[in-house]
Amino acid sequence: MAPLQEQVCLINERLRSFGIESIQEIKMTDKEGKTIGQIKYGYRPQYVFDSVNEILGPENWRYELTKEEIYENQAVAEITLFLKIDDAWLCKGSHKGQMQIVRGNVGDAQKGAITDAIQKCMSLLSIGSDSYIRFTERTALYFSAKLEA
């Protein structure tokens, strides 16, 4: 198996090959639908997970849910990411993710918070970094054009 840095490069190449459709706009809105804070961009989770599974293999990474909290309007999850390197599990760190609770659907918010936390952990390895480094200007133009259409 190739060294981890080479595998991360292959994962990022795979993500780039999907093009702009694999990138999503991420923004928080208030009850009136107004954007709160900065608009961000990131790869859609399924593209990331499929690429990681393709290159690393699904048996060579895992996560543990270490903490989960439910607030009035959001779910928060903290996970720890592990990678299998030479038959040993390496802990790459933990991260929190969050998701708004929409129409009382706590379960979907919990799943979304876990997914968000996993992707944030993967960003510690620079997996998906193109979506917020290389593609930012082009991505912003794409989404603004999509809104105008």
Side-chain angles (χ1 to χ4, degrees):
M1 188 175 278
L4 183 59
Q5 187 174 1
E6 287 178 30
Q7 291 176 313
V8 168
C9 287
L10 291 171
I11 292 166
N12 284 328
E13 285 176 25
R14 181 69 178 131
L15 285 168
R16 276 193 295 276
S17 75
F18 293 120
I20 199 81
E21 290 298 322
S22 64
I23 298 175
Q24 64 184 341
E25 184 177 68
I26 304 161
K27 61 182 172 181
M28 298 286 288
T29 57
D30 62 18
K31 291 180 182 179
E32 288 79 42
K34 292 183 183 179
T35 301
I36 301 170
Q38 183 181 15
I39 297 173
K40 299 175 184 172
Y41 302 93
Y43 281 105
R44 295 179 190 279
Q46 195 60 54
Y47 288 93
V48 174
F49 299 150
D50 288 348
S51 297
V52 169
N53 285 338
E54 181 180 319
I55 304 300
L56 294 181
E59 70 282 1
N60 292 318
W61 72 277
R62 65 182 175 86
Y63 70 91
E64 290 179 6
L65 180 62
T66 55
K67 190 173 185 181
E68 189 172 33
E69 299 170 299
I70 306 297
Y71 297 100
E72 184 179 334
N73 294 319
Q74 72 175 358
V76 177
E78 182 174 356
I79 67 108
T80 303
L81 181 68
F82 296 90
L83 300 170
K84 195 171 190 182
I85 308 289
D86 297 327
D87 293 325
W89 286 100
L90 166 74
C91 173
K92 186 49 190 163
S94 67
H95 241 298
K96 288 185 177 181
Q98 67 178 7
M99 183 61 65
Q100 294 297 109
I101 297 172
V102 178
R103 288 184 229 117
N105 195 335
V106 176
D108 278 350
Q110 288 173 303
K111 290 187 294 185
I114 292 168
T115 298
D116 184 41
I118 293 169
Q119 282 198 260
K120 286 178 180 175
C121 277
M122 288 186 178
S123 75
L124 295 173
L125 297 164
S126 296
I127 291 173
S129 61
D130 282 355
S131 68
Y132 52 86
I133 295 173
R134 240 176 117 226
F135 290 156
T136 303
E137 185 177 317
R138 198 168 61 181
T139 303
L141 290 172
Y142 170 80
F143 279 102
S144 64
K146 206 172 180 185
L147 290 174
E148 292 171 6

